Amino acid sequence: MFKTFIEPFRHPYPKLDVAKGNAERDAQAERAMAQEKQRRGGHGGSRGMPGPKIRAKNWSGTLGRIWQYLSVHRARLGAVLLMVVFSSALALLGPYMVGMAVDHYLEGGGGSWGLFLLGLLAVYAGSSLTTWLQNIWMIEIAQETVYRMRSELFAQLHKLPIPFYGKRQQGDIMSRLTNDMDNVSSTLNSSAIQIFSSVLTLLGTLGVMLYLSPLLTLLTFLVVPLMLAGMRWITKRTGPLYRKRQQDLGSLNGYIEETLSGQRIIKAFSQEQRVLRNFRERNEAILSSGFWAQTISGFIPKLMNGLNNLSFAMVAGIGAILAIRGHGAVTIGVIIVFVEYARQFTRPLNDLANQWNTLLSAIAGAERVFEVLDEQVEASDEAEAVELDSVHGAVAFSGIAFSYGEDDKGNTLEDISFAAKPGELIALVGPTGAGKTTLIQLLSRFYEPSRGTITIDGRDTRTIRRESLRSHMAFVLQDSFLFQGTVRENIRYGRLDATDAEVEEAAKLANAHSFIVRLPGGYDKVLDVGGGGISQGQRQLLGIARAILANPSILVLDEATSSIDTVTEIKIQEGLHRLMQGRTSFVIAHRLNTIRMADKIIVLKEGRLIEQGPHEELLSQRGFYHSLYHGGLMEE
């Protein structure tokens, strides 16, 4: 039994045995979830991995970086520290006054007890006031510091390249912005000032105790090595547990976000029980790391209280013996002061031990925040990068090669070369994973090619500022994301200065006006996050209206009509045809009635361009496109 009890102290991460479900059905659901994730904007199902493991960093380095944020408030921090000094000094003065008054009374001295009580009242009132001021000021500093850190973290998230989001769960990223930041906030609010106050109290108490009686001071100090040894043994085990708890919490948040987004797939494949088992596994991981962190760290106050009582007994007992025997330096008043100071001496140690747990959690959270802040941001535009006043739309891919990462075997794209004249409609076709969406992401500079060049109007896209380049492009993706707000605001996202009349005209061109006016509130209907309350096809129509309103020089339709029925698609073809007039358009589609309109069809297979040309010409070649067409992989 004893061995079972101490096992977590030796191995603080007990493994959890979670029953597996039907393997074939689980694998099928996993593939469906991956396809759903890819449909929702990821570049590949296999890249939706949990957040990276937390690596412990140098504590002094992490604390140093926190100090860089705090140092902006040096003047107010100075005032806080001054209040801490005053409150600590007044807290020491009260017991000293009581002890000296007792000795004075026992020695037969007179004096006004009323004056003494007023003085004692002033001391404790001053201590309370200075404590209140230091807490108020420190809370203000802490909140402003965390506000700045949170703002920088949120801004950093918008500077990071698309690959960062492809390799991390959104829930884990959100956990860093909320839970981890809250840990830092709570520590700065209370723990930081408490630690400094405890240190000052320790030093002040030690000084006065040595002045009154070195012998009794030595007795008090006998328990300190035991305290330090116990704290070291405990915190050595709680530190990794607190870091793992933060990691487990980020993983759980990521899984929750993923399952909420994939509810349709989960229900379609009847995977509710499997999801619950996986959730239980992650939840039990937090239960395990959190339970043992709190349990082991909970020994600290117990240890401190026990040693505190031991110190109190030694000081009171031996001090009383010395006072009875007439030891000149030890009096009843000195014993009273020492008993109180002994408690004041061990209480800061106890506070330090308790705050140490909070500090461990805050450092773990700060490490995760700084990990994101230290991520390589999207490469800056070249110094000579230019703004584009206008774009005619001549696009050329020359010898393009690209891979998503060093671990990938081979390139996702290899030796891609083709050109689009201004105003041409280019259709990209090929099996799933052929590289169609990747080409578009390279064109918009979400990724940079590892080899080759992409030019617009003869200018290398790497010499064009990203913001300027993307301002001349409009996208309608497989899943048009809608923000929380009105229908009008979501369409206006394509061009913020558009008038209401222009918004409605764009909706008419996209064939969205008729269903919008039937909504409760019409254009002023408030949509939930993601467009909840309207169908997937209607969300897609709003995405097309948004692109029309942007009035781009280059239009990208990535399976833009995949969620629209054939009848509706036919109705919007005229509007899209008018929109594409004079604009270079890239369309990723499987439906034949979309591909037939193309001036040029680019056929991709396994990352290589194998055929290009108009529809009839490619059919006459009886190649891979001919096989796709007659194999039924393109819809009528």
Side-chain angles (χ1 to χ4, degrees):
M1 168 152 298
F2 178 71
K3 182 178 180 181
T4 303
F5 175 73
I6 66 170
E7 187 67 18
F9 295 86
R10 297 167 53 202
H11 308 285
Y13 315 135
K15 294 184 178 179
L16 301 170
D17 184 15
V18 180
K20 297 182 179 179
N22 182 278
E24 181 179 355
R25 190 168 183 81
D26 287 359
Q28 188 180 18
E30 288 285 359
R31 289 192 295 270
M33 286 286 287
Q35 293 171 2
E36 174 75 1
K37 186 180 294 184
Q38 184 176 18
R39 184 184 68 79
R40 295 177 69 86
H43 56 69
S46 63
R47 296 183 178 276
M49 300 180 296
K53 290 184 178 180
I54 302 175
R55 296 187 300 272
K57 296 182 179 180
N58 188 317
W59 284 20
S60 62
T62 303
L63 293 174
R65 292 186 65 170
I66 296 176
W67 168 248
Q68 291 177 4
Y69 288 92
L70 289 172
S71 61
V72 177
H73 310 283
R74 286 191 181 92
R76 280 186 290 175
L77 278 174
V80 169
L81 296 182
L82 187 61
M83 291 298 101
V84 173
V85 172
F86 284 157
S87 65
S88 299
L90 291 173
L92 292 173
L93 181 58
Y96 183 84
M97 290 176 62
V98 172
M100 296 303 101
V102 169
D103 279 346
H104 183 68
Y105 174 78
L106 293 176
E107 292 172 359
S112 173
W113 284 99
L115 185 61
F116 166 77
L117 293 176
L118 287 175
L120 196 61
L121 177 63
V123 167
Y124 283 112
S127 178
S128 299
L129 176 61
T130 53
T131 301
W132 180 77
L133 288 174
Q134 74 191 32
N135 288 335
I136 290 295
W137 292 343
M138 192 62 204
I139 288 173
E140 183 182 24
I141 294 172
Q143 290 304 307
E144 291 181 6
T145 299
V146 173
Y147 169 83
R148 180 185 167 195
M149 290 179 66
R150 187 181 289 113
S151 298
E152 290 185 8
L153 179 59
F154 188 74
Q156 173 77 350
L157 292 175
H158 291 282
K159 297 176 184 177
L160 294 172
I162 293 297
F164 172 84
Y165 296 96
K167 297 178 181 178
R168 287 167 174 80
Q169 291 178 315
Q170 294 182 19
D172 180 67
I173 298 174
M174 292 173 60
S175 180
R176 296 170 193 251
L177 191 61
T178 55
N179 297 329
D180 294 326
M181 198 65 74
D182 284 342
N183 284 334
V184 176
S185 176
S186 62
T187 298
L188 291 180
N189 280 341
S190 58
S191 299
I193 196 67
Q194 184 63 46
I195 289 173
F196 184 72
S197 176
S198 297
V199 171
L200 278 183
T201 302
L202 279 174
L203 295 177
T205 302
L206 176 61
V208 179
M209 288 170 69
L210 286 172
Y211 170 75
L212 292 175
S213 175
L215 178 59
L216 292 182
T217 303
L218 179 61
L219 289 175
T220 305
F221 259 81
L222 288 178
V223 300
V224 172
L226 296 176
M227 292 180 177
L228 296 178
M231 286 178 57
R232 182 177 180 182
W233 185 89
I234 293 172
T235 56
K236 184 178 180 180
R237 285 155 177 79
T238 55
L241 280 167
Y242 276 113
R243 287 192 294 272
K244 188 173 188 302
R245 186 185 66 175
Q246 294 304 117
Q247 176 189 352
D248 291 341
L249 186 59
S251 176
L252 180 68
N253 288 337
Y255 188 72
I256 292 173
E257 188 275 334
E258 181 182 71
T259 53
L260 291 178
S261 300
Q263 275 299 303
R264 290 188 179 183
I265 298 296
I266 293 171
K267 294 184 182 301
F269 285 87
S270 300
Q271 290 293 314
E272 291 89 344
Q273 293 303 316
R274 173 181 169 275
V275 167
L276 287 174
R277 289 196 304 271
N278 289 342
F279 174 83
R280 191 178 302 115
E281 178 182 356
R282 289 166 172 80
N283 203 20
E284 287 178 356
I286 296 179
L287 172 65
S288 177
S289 57
F291 172 80
W292 289 113
Q294 294 294 334
T295 298
I296 297 175
S297 63
F299 284 112
I300 291 180
K302 305 300 185 294
L303 173 67
M304 293 298 178
N305 288 334
L307 295 176
N308 186 23
N309 291 332
L310 177 60
S311 174
F312 171 81
M314 289 192 301
V315 170
I318 297 177
I321 293 173
L322 293 176
I324 292 172
R325 292 183 177 181
H327 193 285
V330 178
T331 63
I332 298 300
V334 169
I335 295 175
I336 293 174
V337 174
F338 252 87
V339 168
E340 183 60 30
Y341 276 10
R343 290 191 179 277
Q344 285 204 13
F345 183 78
T346 53
R347 186 171 60 239
L349 288 177
N350 197 17
D351 291 340
L352 285 173
N354 291 330
Q355 296 301 330
W356 189 256
N357 295 326
T358 307
L359 183 62
L360 288 176
S361 181
I363 289 177
E367 285 178 347
R368 285 165 52 81
V369 171
F370 292 141
E371 184 182 77
V372 176
L373 290 175
D374 291 338
E375 282 284 342
Q376 185 67 41
V377 299
E378 192 172 39
S380 302
D381 293 315
E382 297 179 3
E384 62 272 15
V386 299
E387 300 276 350
L388 293 179
D389 295 328
S390 62
V391 171
H392 298 291
V395 179
F397 288 73
S398 303
I400 292 298
F402 173 75
S403 175
Y404 277 110
E406 297 177 357
D407 296 337
D408 292 358
K409 296 181 179 179
N411 288 328
T412 304
L413 296 176
E414 185 65 50
D415 195 24
I416 304 294
S417 298
F418 69 92
K421 296 178 182 178
E424 279 192 334
L425 170 59
I426 307 298
L428 303 176
V429 301
T432 300
K436 305 182 293 295
T437 301
T438 302
L439 274 178
I440 300 303
Q441 291 177 331
L442 292 175
L443 176 62
S444 55
R445 291 193 67 191
F446 289 142
Y447 296 88
E448 299 289 358
S450 54
R451 188 171 64 251
T453 58
I454 303 174
T455 61
I456 293 181
D457 294 344
R459 181 181 291 277
D460 192 330
T461 55
R462 284 172 291 201
T463 66
I464 304 172
R465 295 190 181 278
R466 286 188 182 85
E467 184 177 354
S468 176
L469 172 66
R470 294 166 186 167
S471 69
H472 293 279
M473 304 175 69
F475 299 83
V476 181
L477 304 178
Q478 298 177 33
D479 185 11
S480 292
F481 183 84
L482 299 180
F483 297 90
Q484 185 176 23
T486 64
V487 171
R488 191 187 311 276
E489 291 169 344
N490 271 281
I491 297 177
R492 186 174 278 134
Y493 205 82
R495 182 160 56 87
L496 297 180
D497 60 351
T499 64
D500 289 348
E502 290 173 325
V503 169
E504 295 180 13
E505 181 61 26
K508 292 176 182 177
L509 287 174
N511 203 38
H513 179 76
S514 58
F515 89 80
I516 293 175
V517 296
R518 292 196 301 270
L519 295 173
Y523 281 87
D524 294 319
K525 174 179 172 55
V526 178
L527 302 176
D528 297 330
V529 178
I534 60 176
S535 70
Q536 176 65 25
Q538 290 171 333
R539 291 199 293 269
Q540 203 77 331
L541 290 175
L542 293 183
I544 294 172
R546 186 161 56 193
I548 292 174
L549 185 63
N551 192 25
S553 299
I554 299 175
L555 180 65
V556 176
L557 305 175
D558 187 352
E559 299 284 7
T561 57
S562 60
S563 299
I564 300 174
D565 60 85
T566 304
V567 175
T568 305
E569 183 181 13
I570 293 174
K571 290 181 180 180
I572 68 172
Q573 287 299 331
E574 182 180 354
L576 286 174
H577 184 69
R578 288 197 301 267
L579 172 65
M580 291 185 288
Q581 289 297 318
R583 295 177 174 85
T584 305
S585 302
F586 293 86
V587 178
I588 299 175
H590 294 294
R591 292 188 176 180
L592 183 59
N593 54 5
T594 302
I595 298 173
R596 278 175 174 166
M597 299 170 54
D599 298 295
K600 183 183 295 184
I601 300 172
I602 304 300
V603 184
L604 299 170
K605 181 182 180 183
E606 297 178 354
R608 292 182 177 274
L609 194 160
I610 58 175
E611 294 174 339
Q612 59 176 304
H615 171 69
E616 296 297 336
E617 179 183 322
L618 292 179
L619 284 180
S620 66
Q621 295 176 5
R622 305 186 67 82
F624 185 67
Y625 180 78
H626 183 272
S627 300
L628 290 176
Y629 176 73
H630 289 285
L633 299 181
M634 297 176 185
E635 303 175 15
E636 285 292 345

